[in-house]
Amino acid sequence: MLEVIGVHKSFGSNEVLKGVDIQINKGDVVVILGPSGSGKTTLLRCINFLETADQGKVMLGDTELDLNAASRKQIHEVRQKIAFVFQNYNLFNNKTALENVTEGLIIGRKIPRKEANDIGKKALDKVGLSDKYDAYPSELSGGQQQRVGIARAVSLNPSIILFDEPTSALDPEWVGEVLTVMKNIAEEGTTMLVVTHEMSFAKEVANKVIFMDAGVVVEEGTSEEIFNRPKEERTQQFLRRVL
Ligand code: ADP
């Protein structure tokens, strides 16, 4: 459903991605693990054109896109199909939870406000925020704000949701509720690509785990294979450190 082919990206002389390939099937929950600085976030941002890759392609269904040379129109179309959940939520502070969710539907999708409100309320209900439609981000906990971010992604009914370290900015007390929401939407069959340091989520929810180090995919497999029988020395070392 989503194929990422040969992604290269440098920042100045720092070559961060050295030819990364990834394949994701419909309904997959793929977790990318790896040490800090290995290029995980940059990869996610390149796939959604938040960064321009130096080289690489994406196949999304039947559509092929050049990650280095897509038109504005193509980028707009990709963002209709690929939703993004940010580490720091990226909510508008002057908009309510519901307005944050409906903004993309009204402006990006041209859906009439009334219909957008219905879709937005359903998405907020799904993440357990039925009583917070009218709350502003400053009135919400970190966990609740990130759940608004997830509701915003879900409301777009995308082909896939990319999660960029969705719990790493949260106080520990809020991590569990966000992971639970992510697990629930995974169980509904949502296709997800998740960068996270939460090993329990990777073990329990992912059907595929990719281990990245220094800008390359070192190893990939089922979560059972990666956690119980990692083949590569670098994967073994990483797991020894974090588990
Ligand atoms: P990870 O998500 O695995 O921790 P990142 O993709 O965030 O890794 O970062 C990989 C490398 O790219 C790091 O060395 C980081 O400093 C560098 N990097 C990321 N974004 C930028 C940027 N906008 N400008 C310059 N360097 C960057």
Side-chain angles (χ1 to χ4, degrees):
M1 196 215 69
L2 177 74
E3 192 168 4
V4 179
I5 306 157
V7 185
H8 289 259
K9 173 71 180 174
S10 296
F11 293 106
S13 60
N14 183 10
E15 193 183 7
V16 174
L17 298 174
K18 302 172 183 168
V20 174
D21 301 322
I22 286 184
Q23 278 150 31
I24 298 171
N25 296 316
K26 195 167 170 13
D28 272 352
V29 178
V30 179
V31 165
I32 306 183
L33 302 177
S36 286
S38 53
K40 305 179 298 295
T41 290
T42 304
L43 175 67
L44 240 53
R45 293 176 61 84
C46 285
I47 295 172
N48 206 28
F49 296 95
L50 293 166
E51 298 281 357
T52 307
D54 301 326
Q55 202 183 313
K57 280 193 306 191
V58 158
M59 291 286 304
L60 186 58
D62 295 335
T63 314
E64 179 178 313
L65 291 144
D66 185 334
L67 288 174
N68 183 250
S71 66
R72 270 169 175 276
K73 185 164 170 282
Q74 285 175 319
I75 293 174
H76 180 75
E77 280 167 16
V78 167
R79 296 217 179 117
Q80 302 299 309
K81 294 188 185 147
I82 305 183
F84 203 94
V85 174
F86 296 86
Q87 188 173 345
N88 293 310
Y89 335 127
N90 266 26
L91 301 180
F92 295 108
N93 288 324
N94 59 344
K95 292 187 191 297
T96 64
L98 184 60
E99 287 166 350
N100 266 286
V101 174
T102 57
E103 174 86 3
L105 298 169
I106 296 168
I107 309 289
R109 290 267 170 93
K110 314 273 182 254
I111 292 175
R113 183 173 302 273
K114 188 172 171 311
E115 198 183 323
N117 280 343
D118 290 342
I119 298 171
K121 285 177 185 171
K122 278 211 187 85
L124 286 167
D125 296 348
K126 198 185 277 258
V127 300
L129 294 175
S130 334
D131 55 343
K132 299 291 181 190
Y133 297 160
D134 299 323
Y136 287 89
S138 61
E139 299 167 322
L140 298 173
S141 72
Q144 290 170 330
Q145 291 183 58
Q146 188 56 296
R147 286 191 276 150
V148 174
I150 294 172
R152 177 175 56 188
V154 165
S155 75
L156 298 167
N157 191 24
S159 307
I160 180 166
I161 304 181
L162 310 183
F163 291 81
D164 180 20
E165 301 195 24
T167 59
S168 61
L170 295 173
D171 288 335
E173 61 193 306
W174 308 125
V175 170
E177 64 183 46
V178 170
L179 293 177
T180 300
V181 163
M182 289 170 61
K183 189 172 176 195
N184 290 344
I185 62 172
E187 281 168 358
E188 286 178 2
T190 311
T191 311
M192 297 163 56
L193 177 59
V194 184
V195 171
T196 186
H197 295 288
E198 294 295 331
M199 295 298 144
S200 60
F201 182 84
K203 272 189 187 166
E204 288 164 27
V205 186
N207 66 319
K208 181 166 163 186
V209 174
I210 293 174
F211 174 68
M212 272 183 75
D213 191 17
V216 296
V217 171
V218 172
E219 183 169 358
E220 60 181 74
T222 63
S223 60
E224 204 270 332
E225 283 165 345
I226 296 294
F227 284 104
N228 297 343
R229 289 173 272 124
K231 291 196 187 83
E232 300 293 329
E233 176 60 26
R234 276 195 280 178
T235 318
Q236 293 165 4
Q237 266 178 14
F238 173 78
L239 292 172
R240 270 200 297 276
R241 257 204 337 269
V242 297
L243 290 178

